[in-house]
Amino acid sequence: MAQPRDVTSAAPTLGVVISYVRYVRSMTENENYLARIGSLIRDARHHSGYTQAQLAADLGTSQSAINRIEKGQQNLTLDMLSRIGTTLDSELVGMGASGPSHLRVEGQATLSGSIEVKSSKNAGVALLCASLLNTGTTVLRKVARIEEVNRLLEVLTSIGVKARWLNEENDLELQVPEQLDIASINAEAARRTRSIIMFLGPLMHRAQQFQLPYAGGCDLGTRTVEPHMTALRPFGLDVVAAEGHYQVTATAIAESRRPIVLTERGDTVTENALLAAALSEGETVIRNASPNYMVQDLCFFLEKLGVEIDGIGTTTLRVRGRSEIRTDVEYAPSEDPIEAMSLITAAIVTRSSITVQRVPIEFMEIELAILEEMGFRYDRSEEYVARNGQTRLVDITTHPSDLKAPIDKIHPMPFPGLNIDNLPFFAVIAATAEGQTLLHDWVYENRAIYLTELNKLGAKVKLMDPHRVLIDGPTHWSGAEIVCPPALRPAVVILLAMLASKGTSVLRSVYVINRGYEDLAARLNKLGARIETFKDI
């Protein structure tokens, strides 16, 4: 068994010079490459949760300068490009061996063999936040080794948590001290993860006043954190949006509380309410709660800590918290249904027969039902139980299938509906099917736009508005060079389309994929894909 090592040694090094310039300069002469770079900077800023004013403040420049940069109206020095890339955590920038990673894909390979679904990314980050509740030793089994986890670990260790990887199986040990040094929080790492907002629930029990850096994705300050405040105000939490951070004040309140009704059935909002309730004595009732997979994993973990929860998997949770949690606990988060969908999609678009093992079927049934309607053929094993002792798993064996477009539009819904993060995969699936498919991404304002990048590979994707795309299939895929969009799932969708494309494709700056997937390219190669990772010289 490998020796434990301090988790901070795994942190990646960000690069400092735009590698994308060479690519955009090779575009048509009619396209201004400064405007293209500005557009990418704007997208990266939105994805990282910065306003123009916040980015300008961090860079020591003016908001008007940022506005000109994003419009392509201002020349950029290498130093400014470096600082923008570091601030926005964007691997659009890099230098030499430390620069951004790219993927070169030789398409039209047939996949075969078996592959296991790894543990849930979203459950893993929730459990890292939940570890702050416990002053005993927490061991999480088979944690996804992804960049989002790395950023959270950097934050945790900066406030005094001891963290170490125990072995090559990705078991992670966390020891939380009696006193946290919240004032020393790693603000840079905190701003690079959307999950930092879930520190509100546990930290309110550890300090009466503290500052929390803006979470990635919260670009409008108080307004975007308001659903969380609806969940946390009944526990005595008050949050004021200040320059670059939230100023948090926690006030003790009486045990008696009315039921908490969440104004949106959000996953992280529900998780924050659960984290606050876990260390609040008495019973807390949470209505309109998300019953999604990561919320269920968090509930199962809290039960291991001695918190009593009724209604797991429903929209009403009854939580009986504790005044103190000090216990040694081990927990294995369940498998990731979004990765499972990614792997099944890889098989569909390459017309391959593979076995995807450890699929959390409870969170995939709607997706599979739609795929069956489209003509997808597969075999399914008997159900068995995940390592957490709760989640139902199956093995899925895919078969090459001739697909047709579904009769109705495809759109996400809260669990048990089609998962919002699985919707983009239906774009590349629909592009392989006969007929016309309408996808409606009503949750995210602009994510559907990135799906039009599939057109560069030969697809026929028409953007109807910021939420809807119309896709005509089938597609004769052809290789191309594309820069990763700043959204995780559309980036993976492009990679999967490249697997089906004739010739060689290049996908540039794939850090966004590494935020949510562990060794995806290498694991696909074990199935027969031909993907090479490289960096610019």
Side-chain angles (χ1 to χ4, degrees):
M1 179 180 295
Q3 290 298 311
R5 59 189 179 89
D6 192 283
V7 72
T8 55
S9 65
T13 301
L14 291 178
V16 292
V17 176
I18 285 256
S19 64
Y20 181 63
V21 171
R22 188 176 69 178
Y23 168 55
V24 295
R25 280 177 170 164
S26 70
M27 293 179 171
T28 61
E29 291 183 356
N30 293 330
E31 182 167 1
N32 184 315
Y33 75 88
L34 280 177
R36 180 63 172 161
I37 293 172
S39 176
L40 289 166
I41 290 172
R42 184 190 64 242
D43 286 346
R45 175 175 62 78
H46 288 164
H47 187 68
S48 298
Y50 277 72
T51 64
Q52 285 187 343
Q54 290 164 358
L55 179 57
D58 279 6
L59 295 174
T61 187
S62 65
Q63 182 176 348
S64 61
I66 299 299
N67 186 51
R68 289 194 300 274
I69 288 171
E70 293 185 354
K71 291 181 177 179
Q73 297 173 351
Q74 181 162 312
N75 288 326
L76 295 168
T77 66
L78 294 182
D79 176 66
M80 178 58 78
L81 293 174
S82 164
R83 292 162 60 201
I84 291 173
T86 300
T87 302
L88 297 181
D89 192 26
S90 170
E91 277 218 10
L92 292 173
V93 297
M95 175 180 287
S98 298
S101 295
H102 318 299
L103 298 177
R104 183 178 292 111
V105 183
E106 298 293 333
Q108 295 189 317
T110 301
L111 309 182
S112 62
S114 300
I115 185 169
E116 282 195 359
V117 177
K118 289 189 175 290
S119 67
S120 163
K121 160 193 174 287
N122 289 323
V125 297
L127 297 178
L128 288 177
C129 298
S131 70
L132 289 168
L133 300 170
N134 181 28
T135 52
T137 299
T138 299
V139 175
L140 302 177
R141 301 293 183 191
K142 294 183 177 294
V143 177
R145 277 298 262 284
I146 55 177
E147 296 301 337
E148 186 81 359
V149 167
N150 286 339
R151 299 293 80 73
L152 275 179
L153 289 174
E154 289 171 358
V155 176
L156 287 169
T157 55
S158 72
I159 62 176
V161 177
K162 293 182 179 178
R164 61 175 184 165
W165 296 103
L166 297 177
N167 49 45
E168 296 301 319
E169 296 297 312
N170 290 0
D171 295 341
L172 180 63
E173 180 185 270
L174 300 155
Q175 292 182 315
V176 179
E178 292 286 344
Q179 297 294 325
L180 293 170
D181 185 10
I182 303 176
S184 298
I185 193 168
N186 185 333
E188 183 180 356
R191 291 192 184 101
R192 292 174 181 168
T193 168
R194 296 172 182 269
S195 307
I196 192 66
I197 194 70
M198 286 191 290
F199 275 41
L200 287 173
L203 288 185
M204 64 175 290
H205 298 292
R206 305 299 297 272
Q208 290 184 333
Q209 289 190 333
F210 60 92
Q211 293 181 354
L212 191 70
Y214 282 140
C218 295
D219 61 349
L220 295 178
T222 300
R223 188 175 72 83
T224 55
V225 79
E226 184 57 33
H228 292 267
M229 293 314 306
T230 300
L232 297 176
R233 280 195 194 99
F235 297 98
L237 194 75
D238 181 62
V239 174
V240 176
E243 185 65 33
H245 66 270
Y246 299 115
Q247 184 63 46
V248 185
T249 303
T251 305
I253 61 171
E255 289 184 16
S256 178
R257 289 185 297 272
R258 292 184 301 172
I260 296 170
V261 181
L262 304 182
T263 55
E264 68 173 40
R265 195 182 301 174
D267 301 325
T268 57
V269 172
T270 303
E271 288 166 329
N272 243 338
L274 282 165
L275 294 170
L279 276 178
S280 297
E281 291 187 277
E283 182 175 273
T284 301
V285 178
I286 306 170
R287 301 198 190 279
N288 196 31
S290 166
N292 211 357
Y293 63 96
M294 70 292 285
V295 176
Q296 292 194 28
D297 251 320
L298 176 59
C299 287
F300 299 144
F301 174 73
L302 293 177
E303 287 187 317
K304 289 243 178 197
L305 295 180
V307 178
E308 298 179 24
I309 304 177
D310 296 330
I312 298 174
T314 75
T315 57
T316 299
L317 298 172
R318 295 182 179 272
V319 185
R320 287 173 289 281
R322 303 178 60 181
S323 61
E324 181 184 57
I325 298 176
R326 188 194 308 271
T327 184
D328 294 340
V329 64
E330 294 184 6
Y331 185 77
S334 186
E335 283 70 11
D336 194 325
I338 316 304
E339 178 173 292
M341 184 68 189
S342 309
L343 298 172
I344 291 170
T345 302
I348 291 173
V349 300
T350 59
R351 298 184 62 82
S352 300
S353 179
I354 65 172
T355 298
V356 183
Q357 299 172 323
R358 309 186 68 83
V359 175
I361 188 61
E362 182 177 359
F363 306 101
M364 287 288 296
E365 288 177 326
I366 301 298
E367 285 84 339
L368 288 170
I370 293 173
L371 288 173
E372 283 187 87
E373 177 191 338
M374 296 176 70
F376 176 51
R377 297 184 299 111
Y378 68 97
D379 297 322
R380 169 175 156 172
S381 74
E382 294 295 323
E383 292 183 2
Y384 54 98
V385 180
R387 297 180 185 92
N388 65 9
Q390 301 284 346
T391 306
R392 298 181 287 115
L393 305 178
V394 299
D395 298 341
I396 298 289
T397 299
T398 69
H399 301 295
S401 306
D402 295 318
L403 303 185
K404 61 181 184 301
I407 297 174
D408 296 322
K409 70 177 180 180
I410 300 178
H411 62 94
M413 288 292 287
F415 177 81
L418 189 148
N419 193 296
I420 178 60
D421 283 335
N422 277 337
L423 183 69
F425 297 106
F426 280 94
V428 67
I429 292 171
T432 69
E434 183 76 37
Q436 192 173 77
T437 303
L438 178 65
L439 299 189
H440 185 191
D441 188 343
W442 56 268
V443 177
Y444 293 113
E445 187 65 35
N446 290 307
R447 190 172 69 171
I449 292 173
Y450 300 124
L451 298 177
T452 61
E453 290 290 278
L454 291 171
N455 291 339
K456 296 177 180 178
L457 296 167
K460 295 179 284 293
V461 180
K462 182 180 180 181
L463 184 68
M464 310 295 288
D465 56 50
H467 295 279
R468 297 181 303 153
V469 291
L470 195 63
I471 303 168
D472 283 296
T475 299
H476 300 290
W477 299 104
S478 182
E481 185 168 342
I482 299 175
V483 176
C484 261
L488 171 59
R489 309 306 172 182
V492 176
V493 164
I494 293 169
L495 173 61
L496 299 181
M498 288 177 171
L499 294 179
S501 297
K502 181 180 179 181
T504 301
S505 298
V506 172
L507 186 59
R508 289 192 169 273
S509 302
V510 295
Y511 178 72
V512 66
I513 294 177
N514 297 332
R515 291 182 78 110
Y517 289 78
E518 182 181 349
D519 300 328
L520 180 60
R523 293 166 65 218
L524 289 172
N525 283 344
K526 290 182 179 179
L527 296 175
R530 299 187 294 263
I531 306 172
E532 175 191 359
T533 301
F534 71 99
K535 294 176 182 286
D536 289 332
I537 298 175

